[in-house]
Amino acid sequence: DGGITQSPKYLFRKEGQNVTLSCEQNLNHDAMYWYRQDPGQGLRLIYYSQIVNDFQKGDIAEGYSVSREKKESFPLTVTSAQKNPTAFYLCATKGTSGQETQYFGPGTRLLVL
Amino acid sequence: DQQVKQNSPSLSVQEGRISILNCDYTNSMFDYFLWYKKYPAEGPTFLISISSIKDKNEDGRFTVFLNKSAKHLSLHIVPSQPGDSAVYFCAAKIYAGNNRKLIWGLGTSLAVNP
């Protein structure tokens, strides 16, 4: 069953704690993206990766970190430096360079205790 | 500064009628536009797209129109169904250095009433 999986669906973070959100895909897509959505807002780009072992900051990268050691995986770490982490986090992928459509996972909701 | 604007936060339509969702943009360098549909607590799903070299693209009940001179695009849903009730996002593609990225609108919440 092809697709994008994000885990966990809900995640709770204590103050000062780093947490990692998982994103896995078996679509064989090269590019992967992390977005954040806040209530009543559009999607804001956190980080993206066009190929393995390479990633770029998006518009709101402060307080976040990523890695891309495998094509299938693009985990996002929300660090303690991110002062307002409560949001809905979405992972997306994109296929070959001729395509522009991004495909999204089901999302992870991060809540602060 | 919002480069992709969806000026109507919400829209309510009767089942069977046409839904028209609008999107305005400011950057003439955008060359590809996409519409996504999103249900609460789920990821957006791709609906339809259009290249800037075209003015219309149709897929079943969904049609997207692009007016480049007005920097305006619209999504038409005909006929509207209750299952179409969701938030609709407009996105535009632009080159950022050597990379391509999507710029997103804030979304329009569509309610289709039975």
Side-chain angles (χ1 to χ4, degrees), chain A:
Chain A
D1 188 23
I4 304 165
T5 56
Q6 290 187 243
S7 60
K9 190 170 180 62
Y10 295 95
L11 185 59
F12 297 91
R13 192 191 92 163
K14 295 180 181 178
E15 191 171 341
Q17 185 182 43
N18 292 354
V19 292
T20 297
L21 285 63
S22 168
C23 178
E24 302 282 330
Q25 56 109 352
N26 60 6
L27 301 171
N28 200 34
H29 284 175
D30 289 313
M32 297 186 75
Y33 306 80
W34 274 106
Y35 291 93
R36 166 181 173 145
Q37 187 190 20
D38 294 281
Q41 298 293 313
L43 279 64
R44 293 187 291 168
L45 182 63
I46 305 173
Y47 266 99
Y48 61 103
S49 168
Q50 304 279 25
I51 57 172
V52 175
N53 292 323
D54 183 64
F55 49 83
Q56 307 291 331
K57 290 182 179 180
D59 300 316
I60 55 164
E62 185 175 351
Y64 300 97
S65 66
V66 293
S67 62
R68 186 84 186 277
E69 297 176 0
K70 299 186 301 182
K71 188 175 186 177
E72 300 80 15
S73 178
F74 190 40
L76 172 74
T77 297
V78 184
T79 74
S80 58
Q82 172 49 244
K83 297 307 179 187
N84 185 23
T86 297
F88 190 52
Y89 290 86
L90 289 158
C91 176
T93 70
K94 186 168 76 70
T96 59
S97 59
Q99 297 180 358
E100 302 302 337
T101 304
Q102 293 183 15
Y103 298 92
F104 286 82
T108 292
R109 182 162 299 281
L110 177 61
L111 299 164
V112 177
L113 295 177

